Amino acid sequence: MDRAVQRAVEVLRAGGLVGLPTETVYGLGADALSETAVARVFEAKDRPRFDPLICHLGSRAEVDALATDFDSTADRLAAAFWPGPLTLVVPKRSVVSDLVTAGAPTVGIRVPAHPLMQAVLQGFEGPIAAPSANPFAAISPTTAEHVRTQLGDKLDFILDGGPCSVGLESTIILVLPHQRPVLLRPGGLPLESIEAVVGSVVVPPPGSLSSAAPGRSLKHYSPKTPLFIEPTHRPHPQVARLAYRDAPPGFGATVRLSPTGDLTEAASKLFAALQTLDGGGWHRIEAQPVPETGLGRAIMDRLRRAAAR
Ligand code: TXA
Ligand code: MG
């Protein structure tokens, strides 16, 4: 086993906290079956106890240890998209503590694809609870350096797996027996791909999910610099422009998410771009909207939350 992976496994076994790379964003990992380790996750993030954690597993075969009811819809989604950027919320077993699920009768489960995270899961041989490795409501980390600067002093170890390839958190789907699946959070797996496998998914209107997905508070992913969604380019030397494809000169700083108009590329660069522009001392960040199809849905979800006050 890789030495760094081995160290991550040892820290997890000892009940410690590890910054872990996944293909979506970096996670703040802990032994999901240890209440004290899980309690430390909430403390390190300053995260409210009503916001449940996702459990990460090495493979579909381990799901039945955590879930009572993984029905045929969940099975089809798992077969199609695991390992990958999809979290399934399903009825939980009692081995999963109320602390992990914030008292909910369901548990969020994901099998991540990142090879180092897979190696840690194989070595640890148990579920790893991991929220995104950022302080509550801050920008999610897509590099080990983001984790170090935001939470470094609170973690026992950070496993550097390079920049995250997807760059947005997993798409979360609630799958209850005999009910149509429900989209709880748009994310790194496009809704269109999911619907191609299981048919239509219920998409609750914005703001209606507070009880089903307590973590989806509107203000989230917040840069310290005020962020506005602005379709028109209005160049100003004190303004940072987060552009989709192109922007005229005249802004204090400009990041183009994808010059060719590729939403997958734009998603992978979004959080790193927000981190960069936020550190520049600009008066405001003006983000250009992207088309709301495919990954554009999740990008616009994150931008709206970053703009909420
Ligand atoms: O891609 C991801 O999902 C990343 C990586 C590290 O796996 N994790 C992540 O975790 O984004 P977090 O904690 O930042 O967001 C997970 C969200 C929670 O805020 C909550 O809304 C939802 O998942 N969630 C988890 N368990 C749930 C449950 N049982 N019922 C409803 N929502 C749940
Ligand atoms: Mg998060």
Side-chain angles (χ1 to χ4, degrees):
M1 201 191 301
D2 179 283
R3 276 194 56 78
V5 168
Q6 195 170 344
R7 172 102 180 95
V9 171
E10 282 162 13
V11 172
L12 289 168
R13 288 211 180 112
L17 301 184
V18 187
L20 290 167
T22 86
E23 70 278 25
T24 58
V25 300
Y26 273 73
L28 196 179
D31 179 350
L33 301 183
S34 160
E35 293 233 3
T36 50
V38 169
R40 288 188 64 202
V41 172
F42 283 89
E43 274 159 40
K45 276 191 65 118
D46 204 9
R47 179 180 175 116
R49 295 288 177 106
F50 57 75
D51 194 355
L53 304 181
I54 294 171
C55 291
H56 298 73
L57 295 174
S59 73
R60 158 72 182 89
E62 297 160 51
V63 159
D64 298 326
L66 302 185
T68 53
D69 223 319
F70 202 76
D71 76 357
S72 63
T73 302
D75 233 354
R76 270 183 290 153
L77 288 171
F81 302 115
W82 280 355
L86 172 70
T87 296
L88 296 173
V89 173
V90 293
K92 79 173 186 83
R93 283 193 193 283
S94 56
V95 63
V96 184
S97 79
D98 282 344
L99 188 54
V100 169
T101 70
T106 51
V107 58
I109 302 177
R110 177 159 102 84
V111 175
H114 193 291
L116 285 189
M117 180 65 173
Q118 269 291 330
V120 171
L121 285 160
Q122 300 307 328
F124 183 63
E125 295 183 318
I128 297 175
S132 51
N134 50 285
F136 180 65
I139 301 167
S140 299
T142 52
T143 65
E145 191 51 36
H146 293 161
V147 181
R148 212 166 281 124
T149 48
Q150 293 195 101
L151 282 180
D153 54 332
K154 308 220 164 100
L155 303 184
D156 301 299
F157 183 62
I158 298 172
L159 181 61
D160 190 341
C164 302
S165 58
V166 176
L168 291 173
E169 299 87 346
S170 59
T171 300
I172 305 181
I173 303 282
L174 173 68
V175 186
L176 297 177
H178 317 298
Q179 291 181 36
R180 270 169 69 204
V182 178
L183 177 70
L184 296 185
R185 175 176 76 183
L189 181 67
L191 186 63
E192 291 88 337
S193 309
I194 293 169
E195 292 191 321
V197 171
V198 291
S200 75
V201 168
V202 178
V203 180
S208 67
L209 277 174
S210 49
S211 64
R216 291 183 46 78
S217 49
L218 184 60
K219 185 173 153 55
H220 215 134
Y221 311 100
S222 304
K224 295 181 188 80
T225 315
L227 182 141
F228 300 86
I229 297 174
E230 175 54 58
T232 319
H233 298 297
R234 302 181 305 180
H236 186 285
Q238 295 297 338
V239 170
R241 183 60 160 164
L242 180 61
Y244 175 41
R245 302 184 63 162
D246 271 306
F251 289 102
T254 302
V255 173
R256 300 189 301 165
L257 289 177
S258 174
T260 59
D262 175 350
L263 287 166
T264 303
E265 181 189 19
S268 73
K269 292 188 177 162
L270 177 68
F271 289 146
L274 283 173
Q275 299 270 8
T276 302
L277 296 179
D278 196 22
W282 310 109
H283 285 184
R284 48 201 269 145
I285 300 169
E286 291 187 356
Q288 184 181 14
V290 306
E292 255 176 289
T293 60
L295 292 182
R297 185 192 292 266
I299 293 173
M300 288 307 296
D301 172 80
R302 303 307 187 266
L303 286 178
R304 290 195 183 98
R305 286 164 198 284
R309 237 154 293 280

